[in-house]
Amino acid sequence: MPTSIDVVFTPDLLPFSDLTGKTVVVTDILRATTTITLAVANGATAITPVLTPEDAFRLAADQPNTLIGGERGGVKVDGFDLGNSPREYTQAVVSDRQIVLTTTNGTRTLQACRAAERILVGSFLNLRATVDQLAQVEGELVIACSGREGGFCTEDTVFAGACVAALEETQLTDAAETAKLLYQTHRDDLLGMLKNCYHGRSLARIGLGEDLEFCAQVDLVDVAPHLIDGRITA
Ligand code: MLT
């Protein structure tokens, strides 16, 4: 069991946390870490998160067998193979392929956690697999929410609270206690929470409401992707 759990609500707060020697779970429920979880479960060999579309094009040009995915404003970037909808990352599309991914908030959070000793990628799709890994952590655990453009978002905090709630008898910071309370409020209607939160409403407005149903699924897959040396693998 971890010795303590903290939740960091936005990547802009990460510089105030010393992640050295700690385990971090990065989450961006809508939608980056949901998409990454599914891509790994569907056989993608590695996902490399990068900050900008320019970085993505540059890196993919040097790597054979690579798809470029991600979004800006929720929609696929011109010239990319894939957007950021998990529904696009089917086995037929991603199996045995490498993916370079850039998203507005999620890949930024992954980059910001580089100082951590171990980095996992979590979503509702792999909640049980994530918690199973976290239960074995012996040091300090930080759950890093991607938030929305530097601000707080409900859905990532609810996921953080789900992890906290599953790891009882651990010392919690006030942020972790608060995340647990938010999860307890929403656990019986995760889809309702996603439909009601700011980003969920934005995705529905641009015709991506089906993604909310996808992202609300709990324990769809049994993978615990890790970010190691800049690449996310199973
Ligand atoms: C992000 O990283 O900001 C998100 O995944 C945005 C999205 O595609 O919904």
Side-chain angles (χ1 to χ4, degrees), residues 5-35:
I5 310 179
D6 189 18
V7 174
V8 178
F9 295 128
T10 94
D12 283 15
L13 293 172
L14 281 170
F16 302 102
S17 296
D18 180 7
L19 301 181
T20 316
K22 297 182 188 171
T23 297
V24 177
V25 183
V26 174
T27 192
D28 180 10
I29 295 298
L30 296 176
R31 296 164 293 170
T33 63
T34 301
T35 295

Side-chain angles (χ1 to χ4, degrees), residues 169-231:
E169 293 168 37
T170 302
Q171 192 187 317
L172 304 181
T173 63
D174 285 1
E177 287 281 6
T178 303
K180 188 165 86 168
L181 287 173
L182 200 62
Y183 169 64
Q184 286 163 349
T185 301
H186 292 291
R187 70 177 159 200
D188 294 331
D189 187 14
L190 293 176
L191 178 57
M193 179 272 296
L194 291 183
K195 284 183 172 169
N196 205 35
C197 68
Y198 183 94
H199 194 55
R201 284 181 282 129
S202 315
L203 289 172
R205 255 197 313 274
I206 59 172
L208 293 168
E210 277 182 55
D211 281 359
L212 307 183
E213 277 154 49
F214 203 94
C215 296
Q217 299 174 96
V218 177
D219 295 337
L220 182 72
V221 298
D222 186 23
V223 290
H226 280 68
L227 175 65
I228 300 170
D229 294 334
R231 298 166 85 234

